[in-house]
């Protein structure tokens, strides 16, 4: 691709481009004519499965979010006009085992990126992937942009830091910096450690005779689950406004793990009750207040609505898992 083409195209830099959201956002931005540059962690440069199909259309740099000079060299080289910060180990239980690493990546990584923007490309627009985990044990239901923070794990605490740092650079340095308070969003590219994918994969594998049962924790836990493809569209919309701001991105509806099992197994012609066992040792006490987002601000100011609803999402994931089994058999 020649330099002249780059001059006329907006450039987006995506940290953690190899993850679920990085891959969907890349596809979305390529369709809009962006030059897409992404970073993947230097601890795992081989992890490009989700972006393999677009590798010849994007540029990928190895990333060291602990090295300020390295980050700034990426900004000097590509001069992005939009920056989306997704880099994370998003399995939040891992943050209990490695709280220092979680803080370095999820919290300090944000400051490093904002510093690079402030020094090198102050006109660039910044999206921070904040999380519903900042509400942890929520003080109100549903949660909105004004709900007090009450995180309950190192992941959530670090996300609060990143969230507040984006606001700090917006207010003190005049940067166009926004936080999207993301409630759970899923897809066929969701990592199998998450309960949604665990269930859709198991339904497909049991249907194909590869497994016999699925052991889960509390089937009555409820979550606000949306489709990742819808959420990346909202992230982009957030960076196209006249003024920067923070937005809850959520469906506003909850479904139980049991609903998910029912939907996934019935899609392959099975009754989940014959295959799903509830494990008492991984049973957590019932949640007293629900994590469920109020997306009114996004609806009113961004004109955003989720297009893929729960049933369609679950079916899409099961179909993709069936397809993967057929392909690799
Ligand atoms: P994901 O699939 O886990 O993607 C995160 C990416 O960041 C992975 O490719 C990971 O690479 C990479 N990464 C990890 N450590 C890194 C480091 N030190 N430097 C650079 N990259 C690093 O997560 P996602 O679902 O796309 O989520 C995107 C963002 O939204 C994350 O910040 C997440 O915390 C946030 N979020 C997501 C949800 C959700 O429901 N999906 C909800 C709330 C917030 P490796 O896998 O190779 O380590």
């Amino acid at each position: 691709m020649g330099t002249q083409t780059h001059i006329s195209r907006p450039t987006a830099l995506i940290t953690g481009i190899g993850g679920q959201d990085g891959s969907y956002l890349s596809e979305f931005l390529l369709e809009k004519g962006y030059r897409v540059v992404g970073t993947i962690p230097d601890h795992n440069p081989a992890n490009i499965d989700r972006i393999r199909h677009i590798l010849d259309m994007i540029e990928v740099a190895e990333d060291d979010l602990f090295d300020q000079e390295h980050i700034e060299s990426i900004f000097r080289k590509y001069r992005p006009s939009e920056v989306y910060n997704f880099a994370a180990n998003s399995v939040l239980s891992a943050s209990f085992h490695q709280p220092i690493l979680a803080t370095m990546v999820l919290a300090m990584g944000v400051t490093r990126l904002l510093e690079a923007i402030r020094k090198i490309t102050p006109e660039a627009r910044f999206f921070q992937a904040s999380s519903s985990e900042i509400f942890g044990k929520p003080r109100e239901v549903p949660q909105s942009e004004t709900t007090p923070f009450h995180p309950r794990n190192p992941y959530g605490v670090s996300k609060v830091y990143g969230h507040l740092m984006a606001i700090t650079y917006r207010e003190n340095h005049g940067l166009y910096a926004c936080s999207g308070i993301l409630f759970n969003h899923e897809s066929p590219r969701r990592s199998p450690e998450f309960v949604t994918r665990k269930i859709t994969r198991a339904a497909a594998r049991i249907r194909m005779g590869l497994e016999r049962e699925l052991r889960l924790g509390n089937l009555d836990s409820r979550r606000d689950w949306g489709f990742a493809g819808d959420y990346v569209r909202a992230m982009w919309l957030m960076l196209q406004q006249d003024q920067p701001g923070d937005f809850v991105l959520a469906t506003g509806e909850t479904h139980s793990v049991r609903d998910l099992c029912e939907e996934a197994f019935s899609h392959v012609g099975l009754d989940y009750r014959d295959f799903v066992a509830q494990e008492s040792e991984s049973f957590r006490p019932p949640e007293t207040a629900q994590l469920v987002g109020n997306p009114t601000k996004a609806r009113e100011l961004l004109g955003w609505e989720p297009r893929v609803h729960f049933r369609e999402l679950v079916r899409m994931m099961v179909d993709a898992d069936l397809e993967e089994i057929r392909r690799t058999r």
Side-chain angles (χ1 to χ4, degrees):
M1 210 176 284
T3 316
Q4 277 197 319
T5 329
H6 292 164
I7 289 167
S8 55
R9 300 167 77 195
T11 298
L13 174 66
I14 305 172
T15 71
I17 195 170
Q20 170 186 260
D21 292 3
S23 65
Y24 280 105
L25 181 67
S26 298
E27 289 168 0
F28 179 86
L29 294 175
L30 285 170
E31 266 190 32
K32 293 222 166 281
Y34 280 69
R35 178 191 187 193
V36 175
V37 180
T39 66
I40 52 173
D42 63 354
H43 65 254
N44 213 357
N47 195 358
I48 52 166
D49 285 353
R50 298 185 186 95
I51 50 171
R52 202 178 295 284
H53 61 296
I54 49 169
L55 267 187
D56 58 343
M57 290 180 271
I58 61 179
E59 291 156 78
V60 177
E62 264 181 49
D63 172 359
D64 183 354
L65 278 180
F66 310 141
D67 180 344
Q68 187 64 20
E69 183 41 45
H70 179 74
I71 292 174
E72 291 182 13
S73 71
I74 293 176
F75 276 77
R76 277 192 293 272
K77 180 169 177 192
Y78 296 106
R79 304 202 71 81
S81 48
E82 293 177 17
V83 179
Y84 296 85
N85 182 30
F86 293 157
N89 180 345
S90 55
V91 182
L92 57 91
S93 56
S95 72
F96 279 113
H97 304 300
Q98 295 185 302
I100 297 172
L101 181 66
T103 310
M104 301 269 282
V105 176
L106 298 169
M108 278 306 294
V110 181
T111 311
R112 292 190 189 287
L113 290 166
L114 287 164
E115 268 302 277
I117 294 176
R118 184 184 68 76
K119 288 196 215 160
I120 300 162
T121 55
E123 69 295 341
R125 297 185 167 202
F126 178 73
F127 175 87
Q128 165 59 11
S130 188
S131 166
S132 54
E133 286 296 318
I134 64 177
F135 304 127
K137 187 177 175 191
R139 306 267 177 92
E140 60 185 16
V141 181
Q143 296 82 47
S144 74
E145 294 77 6
T146 55
T147 300
F149 304 140
H150 192 169
R152 290 195 298 176
N153 53 56
Y155 172 94
V157 172
S158 300
K159 286 287 186 185
V160 169
Y161 174 99
H163 187 98
L164 293 175
M165 201 49 95
I167 295 174
T168 300
Y169 273 70
R170 177 164 86 215
E171 291 180 350
N172 293 302
H173 299 296
L175 297 193
Y176 191 115
C178 308
S179 281
I181 305 170
L182 308 173
F183 282 67
N184 294 65
H185 48 283
E186 320 294 314
S187 75
R189 299 180 196 168
R190 186 63 142 155
S191 144
E193 287 113 324
F194 290 86
V195 70
T196 46
R197 184 80 195 288
K198 198 181 275 182
I199 293 168
T200 62
R201 223 167 165 231
R205 290 178 68 78
I206 291 170
R207 169 78 274 173
M208 300 298 269
L210 300 174
E211 276 171 28
R212 289 207 201 155
E213 70 161 6
L214 170 64
R215 305 188 79 79
L216 292 172
N218 188 352
L219 295 182
D220 296 315
S221 281
R222 301 185 74 85
R223 291 285 177 276
D224 181 334
W225 281 301
F227 171 51
D230 282 332
Y231 286 51
V232 301
R233 189 175 72 255
M235 298 172 194
W236 175 79
L237 282 169
M238 283 175 58
L239 298 199
Q240 315 309 311
Q241 305 304 305
D242 291 339
Q243 297 295 328
D246 305 319
F247 289 85
V248 162
L249 301 179
T251 69
E253 283 176 16
T254 62
H255 293 271
S256 67
V257 173
R258 189 185 306 280
D259 295 339
L260 218 159
C261 290
E262 206 167 334
E263 193 58 54
F265 280 78
S266 71
H267 187 51
V268 294
L270 301 175
D271 184 335
Y272 81 96
R273 290 171 296 187
D274 297 333
F275 304 97
V276 175
Q278 190 165 261
E279 280 184 324
S280 49
E281 65 266 27
S282 59
F283 214 102
R284 284 191 248 171
E287 289 141 355
T288 45
Q290 283 298 315
L291 272 181
V292 52
N294 174 356
T296 304
K297 183 178 172 191
R299 192 183 308 127
E300 290 179 354
L301 297 189
L302 306 177
W304 177 75
E305 290 283 355
R307 292 176 186 158
V308 175
H309 298 285
F310 180 71
R311 167 179 272 210
E312 206 180 336
L313 172 64
V314 176
R315 291 177 173 209
M316 174 205 297
M317 292 174 69
V318 174
D319 286 341
D321 283 320
L322 283 170
E323 182 53 37
E324 189 182 313
I325 296 168
R326 291 191 183 110
R327 219 183 27 246
T328 53
R329 246 158 58 132

